[in-house]
Every structure is written in C-alpha cells, then in structure tokens.
Amino acid sequence: MVLAGYGRAAMDWIYLILIGLVVLFGIAVLVASRRRAARSIDAKTRFRPAPPTPPPRTSVPPATGTVVEEPTAVEPELLEPEVEPEPATLRQRLATMRSALAGAFAGIRGRRGIGPETWDDLEEALLRADVGVAVSDELLATLRQRVDAKELTEPDALLDSLAAEMKARLHGPDRVLHYEPGDPTSPNVWMFVGVNGVGKTTTIGKIANQQREDGRQVLLAAGDTFRAAATEQLSTWAERAEVPIVRGNEGGDPSAVVYDAIESASARQIPLVLADTAGRLHTKTNLMEELSKVRRVAEKGAGRVTEVLLVIDATTGQNGLAQARQFEQATQVTGVVLTKLDGSAKGGIVFAIETELGIPVKLVGVGETIGDLRPFDPDEFVDALFDI
C-alpha cells in the first residue's frame, strides 16, 4: 500500500514536469516567431530605396559659355503657419538719423524766441545729417526771409516751416519703377550700378522677390563677372525667389552675359530682366567705359532698358554724391536706391542727390528683410526726421 502511494505521487510529479516543459516550449516558439517577423519588417523599411532627386536643369549656349540656371523644384513642406511680426515703421527705422537731429531741435524748442543761436543749431544739424552746404544755405535763407518779415516768430513754427520746405524740395520727381508692357519677346531691362559693398546684389534679389510676388516673371543676369562672390550671392537670391539666372565665366565679358540673359528672356517671353553689373570703385575710368558698353549692348538686342538704378550706401554721405555724378555720366541713371538708411545719420544725401543732380530717389533700404526695401515717400521721410 505504501509503495503504491509512492508510485502515484511520482507519476503526478512527472506529469507536472512534462506539462511545464510543454508550456516553456510553446513560449519559446512564440517569442522566436515574433523576433523573425520584426526583423523582416525592419529590413523592408531599412532598405527601401529613396526616389532619385533630379538635378537642376541647366543649358549652356555654345557661343559664349554662359549658363542658364533654372530654379530647382522643391516639394512644399507642411509647416505650421507662422505669425509674422508687424513691420517696423519708417519712423522706427530712422532712429539713428533722427537722434542726430534731436539735440538741435530740442535746443531750438527750448528757447523763447528765434535768435543767432537758433540759426547756428539749424545749420549744424543739417550739415551733420549730410544735407549739404548748398541745400542747407538755401533752406535757411528762405526761413530767414520769413523771420525777418515777422511771418515766423516762434521756434515751433520755424521747425514746422523747415519741415514743409524740405518736403517741397522733394516733391515732383517721378519715383515709379518704369515697366513698359508690350511685345512679349522684348523684355524690360533694369540695370543696377554702384560700387562694391553698397548692397547692390541684395537689392536685386529683393526686387526680384517682390516682382515675382506681384505676379511678374523675372530673369536675373549675373553681369558682375569680376567678382565670384557676387555671382554666387545672386544665384542664392535667384534660388530663394525661384527665378532663373544667367551667369558667365569668372572674368568673362559682362556685356555678353547681359546680352545672353536678354535673349533667353525674349525666347521664353519673360518680361523683365534684372541685370547686375561690376562694382569696382567709381574713380576707375575703365569701369565706367565697361558700364557704358553694357548699356549699349543691352539696347542692341531684343531688350528695352527702362531703368538704370544707382545703388548708394547712405552711410557714405557726400561721397555718394560723387558716385552719382560719375555713374550718371556713364549710364544715364534714372533713379537711386538708397540702402542702409536705418543705420545712417547721413540720410540728408537725399536732398543733395535730387537738388544738385535731379535724380529721384526711388527706393530706400531700411533693414535686412525683403519688406524693408520700400518705395521712397518724401512726406513720411521728413515726418520721421522731425518726429511728427
């Protein structure tokens, strides 16, 4: 009896051990199968080939070696909409120039009447702002006559009259960028001239972007073949604005690049060509001769030169007037783009350029963003200086 009991107990333990082994075996099989499945999925995902990226399309005209670069098509990314900050006003941007005048204006307003110190402060303020000796003398002479005639007796009235005189001197010129619609195979050409470092290439890029946003097709011509950095910078702007660009070999003939750009635009019925040009110092005669040649060549082909824009750095002050004289003689400048006005206390050069040369300031640069290149508004400009 005892032996029989021991036998049954032993069999029970054997059955339990067998059952445990079966369960463990099943678990091991399940784990192994899941690992194989995970490796299979990972392999498929890991080695899936990516679609090839098409290279940018380029064409090389055999005659001159210039290259037409097309904007590369980019898949639009789904991004969260960004809240754009309010654009700064011109008054805010002209803080540097206004601060140069603020001390003199405060001193004038602090006096009870108009005396010799008043005229000294006004003259100093205008010269400090680089309005120029001739223009300053003319402005003050007009005010002196009105003071002598007892038309002006209070400092505030004197400053108000000065602001009105400055506005009057800037009224009248045509400040529109001229675009002539017509034959689609005869593109408008806007040439940009100016010395190195004034922001000429950046200005072209911003205008290209603005014109494209307005719905107008644009082609860029990298005519500054003497400076490789200028061509690369303009190519970057062309990519940002998604417009084609024609570029030549470093040290090549700028006229040939501009001519090929115009012919390319004509063949594709692109209505506007923005042409960069070389920007060595304006005192170099050969540069002026080269720019004259570029203009002549631009008008020989299918294009129509409707603007020649001189880009001047506002921080150069009266030196900008000398630049304007030289470039106007060589290229028949139709308008001025005054850059870096936000960082200069010498924006008074506007008056000297328009009064002495009769060239209108059409655009002003007051910041780094595309929207900071703005049409020049004389009333807004003067009001910002007088903090009106």
Side-chain angles (χ1 to χ4, degrees):
M1 293 290 293
V2 174
L3 291 175
Y6 281 123
R8 283 195 298 272
M11 291 300 293
D12 290 340
W13 279 106
I14 291 173
Y15 288 144
L16 290 174
I17 291 171
L18 290 175
I19 291 171
L21 291 173
V22 170
V23 171
L24 290 174
F25 179 78
I27 292 172
V29 171
L30 180 61
V31 170
S33 64
R34 288 187 175 178
R35 287 181 177 175
R36 284 196 300 271
R39 284 196 297 269
S40 176
I41 293 172
D42 182 65
K44 290 179 180 179
T45 304
R46 184 180 304 168
F47 297 105
R48 180 179 296 167
T53 302
R57 294 175 293 164
T58 61
S59 59
V60 182
T64 62
T66 55
V67 177
V68 182
E69 294 185 356
E70 300 289 346
T72 305
V74 179
E75 285 289 331
E77 297 183 9
L78 297 178
L79 300 174
E80 291 292 328
E82 296 183 0
V83 178
E84 295 186 0
E86 287 290 328
T89 64
L90 185 61
R91 179 188 175 282
Q92 292 171 326
R93 294 299 194 192
L94 295 184
T96 301
M97 185 174 178
R98 187 170 58 255
S99 64
L101 302 174
F105 290 168
I108 293 170
R109 287 193 173 101
R111 299 190 183 99
R112 291 185 178 180
I114 301 173
E117 300 87 353
T118 303
W119 302 112
D120 291 341
D121 288 346
L122 279 179
E123 183 177 17
E124 181 183 353
L126 293 174
L127 294 178
R128 188 183 301 155
D130 242 339
V131 172
V133 175
V135 178
S136 298
D137 288 346
E138 291 173 7
L139 287 169
L140 295 182
T142 302
L143 294 177
R144 285 179 188 274
Q145 291 175 1
R146 297 187 63 188
V147 170
D148 292 342
K150 304 301 182 182
E151 296 178 14
L152 301 173
T153 58
E154 297 296 327
D156 284 338
L158 179 66
L159 291 178
D160 290 342
S161 295
L162 175 59
E165 287 290 334
M166 293 172 76
K167 290 179 183 179
R169 283 185 168 270
L170 297 177
H171 278 176
D174 180 6
R175 303 186 189 281
V176 177
L177 293 176
H178 286 280
Y179 171 83
E180 299 176 358
D183 184 357
T185 63
S186 179
N188 285 249
V189 180
W190 293 355
M191 283 179 55
F192 294 80
V193 298
V195 300
N196 288 337
V198 296
K200 180 160 47 72
T201 305
T202 300
T203 297
I204 296 172
K206 290 181 178 180
I207 291 178
N209 202 302
Q210 291 173 355
Q211 291 291 315
R212 184 179 177 278
E213 288 182 350
D214 289 341
R216 185 172 290 158
Q217 290 181 294
V218 178
L219 183 143
L220 305 187
D224 188 355
T225 59
F226 301 113
R227 195 166 61 95
T231 300
E232 294 304 321
Q233 186 181 6
L234 196 64
S235 296
T236 300
W237 274 107
E239 185 178 346
R240 289 178 61 181
E242 298 181 3
V243 298
I245 180 173
V246 172
R247 53 187 293 176
N249 297 323
E250 184 176 353
D253 184 1
S255 300
V257 175
V258 173
Y259 180 85
D260 286 346
I262 295 170
E263 294 302 305
S264 177
S266 173
R268 300 163 62 178
Q269 297 190 8
I270 295 177
L272 180 59
V273 175
L274 306 182
D276 193 9
T277 58
R280 289 171 295 176
L281 290 177
H282 62 282
T283 52
K284 300 293 183 67
T285 305
N286 61 337
L287 171 61
M288 297 305 159
E289 293 174 351
E290 185 65 47
L291 292 176
S292 298
K293 176 185 174 184
V294 170
R295 166 140 194 174
R296 292 194 303 269
V297 170
E299 292 184 318
K300 280 184 178 178
R304 295 167 288 161
V305 178
T306 53
E307 286 285 359
V308 179
L309 297 172
L310 170 62
V311 184
I312 297 178
D313 181 346
T315 63
T316 61
Q318 288 295 308
N319 188 43
L321 189 63
Q323 295 174 24
R325 287 195 180 97
Q326 295 286 334
F327 282 98
E328 201 282 330
Q329 293 172 7
T331 60
Q332 302 171 37
V333 173
T334 59
V336 167
V337 181
L338 198 61
T339 63
K340 308 177 187 178
L341 191 59
D342 56 315
S344 173
K346 301 180 178 181
I349 187 64
V350 169
F351 296 93
I353 291 173
E354 296 208 356
T355 302
E356 297 186 29
L357 300 180
I359 304 174
V361 175
K362 295 194 172 186
L363 299 170
V364 291
V366 291
E368 298 297 327
T369 68
I370 292 173
D372 286 327
L373 182 66
R374 308 177 182 183
F376 178 63
D377 183 331
D379 289 348
E380 186 183 12
F381 174 70
V382 175
D383 286 345
L385 298 184
F386 283 80
D387 198 15
I388 297 175

